[in-house]
Amino acid sequence: MKLSVCSLSLSLTSPRKICNLVGSHSCMETHKMHTHTRKPEPSLVSLDTLLDYSKLNTESNADELFDETPKLDVVSATTAIGRFVRQHRYKEAIHFFSRMLFLNIRPNEFTFGTVIPLSTALEDLCLGKQFHACAMKTGVNGIVFVGSAILDFYAKLSSIEEARKAFEDIQEPNVVSCTTLIHGYLKQGRIEDALLHFREMPERNVVSWNVMIGGCSQMGQNEEAVNLFVEMLRQGLMPGPSTFPCAISAVSNIAALGMGKSFHACVVKSSCNFDVFVGNSLISCYAKCGSMEDSLLVFNKLPDRNIVSWNALICGFAQNGRGEDALIFFERMRATGMRPNSVTLLGLLWACNHAGLVDKGSLYFNQIRVEDPNMLTPEHYACMVDLLSRFGRLKEAEGLLHVLPFDPGIGFWKALLGGCHIHSNVELGELAAQKILALDPEDVSSYVMLSNAYSATGRWQNVSRIRKEMKEKGLKRVPGCSWIEIRSKVHVFVNSDRSHYQKDDIYRVLKFCTEQLRDNEVPDC
């Protein structure tokens, strides 16, 4: 049987290339293939029966199905492709599509809406571009669900510019296509473009709000994420189960306790189920805001707990300096049969670090080192070096650095240098500083810590030399920053910054406090 090349094919993107991409036989050859299996007569077999039959056979049965389907047209062919896709038999679906093209069965918008996502699933950029070219040749690329599939493909596998062009080709973009483009912008870190496009959307649904809030939160734009969530509520949209964790996570990152309680109340009032994801985000939020009582209250009321729930509580106790409580809840977790993971161990080491439990930290670390060394990551080793250095066991910390299963980075040497600064070990501090500056000559904090170590031992010539070297290199200390929440509003303060609108009142109160402390100071005997 002689097959002519389909009029839809392009010289650059022929369907034969689609066949070759999936590693099947050439379309001309596979059309001639026959099997010797006894099958029912085609006239008596429905398409669904043939499709169910094909589930039991190998990939080559896509050709059998094609040959045996009576009166194959675009509808039945698209149905067959869709069935292959639902069975995750992607290569067979593509092969079936390529045979459609060779037999001049003109694919419609539903066909392309089914096959284009396959290029994303297979992460095949070349294949996706061929589908795009075929859709353009057919004139269906401007239909919204075809264009949205093309847009999603480019956003995930190619550049945001290609995705934007695909979006511009859509005749009547809907909320799905707009949201897909926003997600692409956020994935590329272009938050301003995402916000601009979001504001220009004629219609927004819960999904588009979720994408925007979640994207801002993940990119560190926490204030923007919180503001978007509040705006969403004011517009009368009810957040879904996936909205609350994103918004609560943003609140926890700026440690806005009042706002976190408001969001918690919103969860309770809404019809949203208080599931483990929302509960875990609230446990973490209260812990980061310093309210372990509220965090523990949420934990105790959570009907189903997973390892994330326990980790959030253990890390919360560690962060707030309650190391003993962290260890108690770790033992409770093990009593329930829950197996700790790497995050649990990190929380334990962190708790021991904050509470000065050096021996306990060493015990847990060495126990995991023997029982499950694959659980250990560079973060665990760094935490252990910091624990030993902070509490004066500098030789042990240095010894651990020399037996690491990888090359220590700046963070490891900084931990050792910090311990040397605390305990005035200048010789070892100089070694750590040399290692840091060899890795990053512009690291300001290393100069500052070494200078402080020199000044603690009265070696002022070395202090002068360090400061001169910093001045010659144009290095400046990064100003410290802190913030406080008053009546659900966060006030940020930067070192030597006088831009706060209440600065006069603030300095007046600080002056009063300083004078009171000075007047009540107990003189040295």
Side-chain angles (χ1 to χ4, degrees):
M1 178 178 176
K2 187 176 181 181
L3 302 178
S4 60
V5 177
C6 177
S7 60
L8 298 178
S9 64
L10 301 175
S11 60
L12 185 62
T13 58
S14 69
R16 186 178 297 277
K17 289 186 178 181
I18 296 179
C19 290
N20 292 337
L21 278 168
V22 299
S24 61
H25 300 286
S26 72
C27 293
M28 292 289 289
E29 291 173 342
T30 53
H31 186 70
K32 296 177 182 178
M33 291 176 61
H34 297 282
T35 62
H36 299 287
T37 307
R38 183 179 177 84
K39 296 173 286 294
E41 290 295 326
S43 59
L44 302 176
V45 180
S46 69
L47 178 62
D48 285 341
T49 303
L50 283 169
L51 287 168
D52 289 335
Y53 169 79
S54 72
K55 289 170 69 174
L56 305 175
N57 293 276
T58 59
E59 183 175 319
S60 63
N61 283 314
D63 293 292
E64 295 176 29
L65 177 62
F66 196 97
D67 293 337
E68 294 171 359
T69 303
K71 298 180 180 179
L72 188 70
D73 58 12
V74 65
V75 175
S76 55
T78 302
T79 303
I81 292 171
R83 180 69 69 90
F84 281 130
V85 171
R86 286 192 294 275
Q87 295 171 12
H88 303 288
R89 297 165 69 178
Y90 300 146
K91 292 185 178 182
E92 290 176 85
I94 297 167
H95 185 62
F96 206 99
F97 176 79
S98 70
R99 291 206 60 185
M100 280 181 63
L101 297 180
F102 271 91
L103 289 183
N104 288 323
I105 300 175
R106 187 184 182 90
N108 60 18
E109 62 269 26
F110 302 106
T111 317
F112 283 108
T114 304
V115 298
I116 290 173
L118 297 179
S119 54
T120 306
L122 295 170
E123 298 184 354
D124 193 327
L125 180 62
C126 182
L127 180 65
K129 287 186 174 182
Q130 290 185 69
F131 283 143
H132 184 189
C134 288
M136 290 178 67
K137 186 76 173 180
T138 317
V140 299
N141 62 303
I143 297 175
V144 64
F145 57 88
V146 178
S148 296
I150 297 170
L151 163 61
D152 182 65
F153 152 70
Y154 281 120
K156 290 178 178 175
L157 299 186
S158 186
S159 67
I160 190 61
E161 295 305 323
E162 293 279 3
R164 185 183 56 78
K165 291 176 183 176
F167 177 80
E168 291 172 353
D169 288 339
I170 300 174
Q171 295 167 2
E172 296 180 3
N174 61 10
V175 66
V176 175
S177 50
C178 292
T179 303
T180 304
L181 183 60
I182 289 171
H183 188 270
Y185 278 130
L186 291 171
K187 186 180 177 182
Q188 297 291 324
R190 294 170 58 169
I191 192 164
E192 293 298 330
D193 291 323
L195 279 168
L196 180 63
H197 191 72
F198 179 76
R199 298 296 182 194
E200 292 176 349
M201 285 178 67
E203 177 192 359
R204 303 172 196 149
N205 59 13
V206 174
V207 176
S208 54
W209 282 96
N210 285 356
V211 167
M212 202 65 239
I213 293 168
C216 288
S217 177
Q218 291 170 11
M219 294 176 62
Q221 301 290 329
N222 298 296
E223 292 86 353
E224 188 66 47
V226 171
N227 292 336
L228 283 168
F229 182 76
V230 173
E231 183 183 346
M232 177 184 178
L233 293 176
R234 286 174 178 168
Q235 292 191 10
L237 273 79
M238 182 55 64
S242 58
T243 316
F244 283 110
C246 294
I248 294 169
S249 176
V251 167
S252 64
N253 289 335
I254 58 176
L257 179 59
M259 189 70 74
K261 288 186 174 182
S262 298
F263 286 6
H264 188 178
C266 187
V267 172
V268 174
K269 291 178 182 178
S270 71
S271 57
C272 171
N273 292 328
F274 192 80
D275 60 14
V276 68
F277 301 106
V278 176
N280 290 346
S281 61
L282 283 170
I283 294 169
S284 181
C285 177
Y286 282 126
K288 288 182 178 179
C289 293
S291 180
M292 284 309 302
E293 290 73 19
D294 290 318
S295 183
L296 188 56
L297 188 64
V298 174
F299 179 83
N300 288 332
K301 288 187 175 182
L302 203 59
D304 298 313
R305 300 172 191 147
N306 56 17
I307 186 63
V308 179
S309 315
W310 288 96
N311 286 348
L313 194 67
I314 291 169
C315 292
F317 280 125
Q319 182 181 1
N320 287 278
R322 295 170 60 174
E324 294 286 357
D325 290 324
L327 301 187
I328 289 171
F329 274 88
F330 171 69
E331 296 301 335
R332 287 187 188 176
M333 185 193 82
R334 288 211 295 194
T336 65
M338 187 77 70
R339 181 179 174 81
N341 61 13
S342 60
V343 177
T344 318
L345 177 60
L346 197 60
L348 281 176
L349 295 177
W350 197 12
C352 294
N353 202 330
H354 282 248
L357 305 171
V358 187
D359 292 329
K360 277 280 189 183
S362 298
L363 177 65
Y364 285 123
F365 179 80
N366 291 324
Q367 186 178 353
I368 294 297
R369 205 173 177 185
V370 172
E371 295 177 359
D372 191 3
N374 292 328
M375 187 187 292
L376 296 175
T377 65
E379 287 78 11
H380 296 107
Y381 287 99
C383 197
M384 197 63 210
V385 170
D386 186 51
L387 174 61
L388 294 170
S389 302
R390 190 183 293 269
F391 294 96
R393 293 162 66 163
L394 298 172
K395 287 298 180 184
E396 289 182 56
E398 184 185 10
L400 183 58
L401 281 172
H402 290 307
V403 297
L404 291 177
F406 50 85
D407 292 330
I410 289 179
F412 291 86
W413 294 108
K414 277 191 174 182
L416 183 61
L417 180 56
C420 294
H421 170 216
I422 295 170
H423 299 283
S424 303
N425 189 325
V426 177
E427 289 73 20
L428 190 55
E430 286 178 332
L431 172 65
Q434 289 171 5
K435 295 285 187 180
I436 295 169
L437 295 176
L439 294 168
D440 184 7
E442 305 298 319
D443 187 80
V444 179
S445 61
S446 302
Y447 285 100
V448 173
M449 283 193 287
L450 188 59
S451 174
N452 292 338
Y454 282 136
S455 62
T457 56
R459 297 167 67 170
W460 303 112
Q461 275 190 330
N462 296 86
V463 173
S464 179
R465 176 178 58 80
I466 292 291
R467 290 180 178 175
K468 182 180 179 182
E469 191 173 344
M470 288 179 65
K471 188 175 182 181
E472 289 174 350
K473 291 185 176 181
L475 303 178
K476 294 183 179 180
R477 296 183 64 170
V478 178
C481 177
S482 61
W483 58 89
I484 187 172
E485 181 187 357
I486 301 174
R487 295 175 184 172
S488 299
K489 184 174 182 181
V490 178
H491 300 262
V492 181
F493 300 94
V494 180
N495 187 32
S496 302
D497 179 19
R498 292 179 174 267
S499 61
H500 196 279
Y501 70 97
Q502 289 181 293
K503 62 180 184 300
D504 294 334
D505 295 331
I506 292 169
Y507 282 106
R508 191 179 300 113
V509 173
L510 282 173
K511 183 179 179 182
F512 172 78
C513 293
T514 305
E515 290 173 351
Q516 291 295 312
L517 289 170
R518 190 180 296 114
D519 293 341
N520 295 319
E521 186 177 352
V522 179
D524 294 333
C525 296

